[in-house]
């Protein structure tokens, strides 16, 4: 079997799992930093778009202010604890990403807001009428899909999967 055949089999096996996770998760975790490098973790409801993930966040929230100061973010979708077979190895998809502010009332802002309303309900219409809410598009770069113990796979921004060569596994004491 050639390397290309192995990549194709891996993509055919894991690609649908990644897509299913993106559809099942309604929120994502966000790790941000402020201008001084102080970390913050939070979450936001999201909707997928052709370039990334739309999130609508109030400027009152620390993570929105952080994204405006430092537009680098780490995001993660993670399997629900109740559905996990092993709590120490929950399935998860994470990406390093760049946050772009979608200009208020632009065509993209209208499209993103409508998509968030369709996925998360009427509350988004109310939030979009408030001046302190910003629509961000989180543009993924390189990522990681962890399926379980010892099963970590590189994921590109367009969800192409690649194997990671583990240099060292878990060691016994």
């Amino acid at each position: 079997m050639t390397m290309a055949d192995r990549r194709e089999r891996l993509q055919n096996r894991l690609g649908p799992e990644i897509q299913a996770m993106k559809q099942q998760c309604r929120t994502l975790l966000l790790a941000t930093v402020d201008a001084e490098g102080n970390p913050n973790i939070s979450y936001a409801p999201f909707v997928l778009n052709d370039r990334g993930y739309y999130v609508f966040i109030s400027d009152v929230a620390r993570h929105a202010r952080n994204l405006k100061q430092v537009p680098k973010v780490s995001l993660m979708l993670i399997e629900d604890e109740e559905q996990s077979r092993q709590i120490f190895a929950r399935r998860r998809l994470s990406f390093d990403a760049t946050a772009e502010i979608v200009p208020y009332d632009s065509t993209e802002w209208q499209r993103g807001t409508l998509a968030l309303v369709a996925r998360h309900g009427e509350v988004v219409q109310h939030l979009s009428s408030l001046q302190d809410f910003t629509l961000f598009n989180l543009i993924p770069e390189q990522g990681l899909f962890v399926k379980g113990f010892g099963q970590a796979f590189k994921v590109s921004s367009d969800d192409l999967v690649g194997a990671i060569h583990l240099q060292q596994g878990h060691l016994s004491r």
Side-chain angles (χ1 to χ4, degrees), residues 1-121:
M1 180 182 301
T2 69
M3 183 64 97
D5 290 336
R6 276 190 284 251
R7 274 195 304 269
E8 184 177 346
R9 287 183 62 194
L10 189 63
Q11 185 67 41
N12 290 340
R13 187 168 52 92
L14 297 178
E17 285 188 49
I18 291 169
Q19 293 308 310
M21 180 169 238
K22 287 181 173 185
Q23 294 306 316
Q24 291 163 2
C25 291
R26 294 173 37 92
T27 61
L28 48 78
L29 299 174
L30 299 167
T32 62
V33 295
D34 65 17
E36 288 78 45
N38 298 306
N40 177 246
I41 189 161
S42 192
Y43 83 98
F46 76 94
V47 67
L48 292 169
N49 65 71
D50 59 351
R51 295 178 56 229
Y53 302 77
Y54 286 130
V55 294
F56 214 31
I57 309 171
S58 169
D59 294 340
V60 174
R62 185 173 162 195
H63 56 291
R65 295 190 311 270
N66 287 354
L67 289 173
K68 288 183 173 186
Q69 292 175 18
V70 181
K72 300 304 271 176
V73 59
S74 183
L75 62 90
M76 181 170 65
L77 288 77
I78 188 164
E79 177 179 40
D80 187 289
E81 289 180 10
E82 295 294 320
Q83 297 179 8
S84 176
R85 287 186 300 232
Q86 173 48 260
I87 198 71
F88 283 94
R90 288 164 65 193
R91 285 182 323 119
R92 55 202 178 271
L93 176 65
S94 60
F95 283 101
D96 293 336
T98 300
E100 292 181 357
I101 295 173
V102 179
Y104 173 73
D105 221 17
S106 65
T107 302
E108 184 181 5
W109 189 91
Q110 298 286 347
R111 189 173 53 246
T113 302
L114 287 173
L116 282 161
V117 168
R119 186 154 199 229
H120 298 292

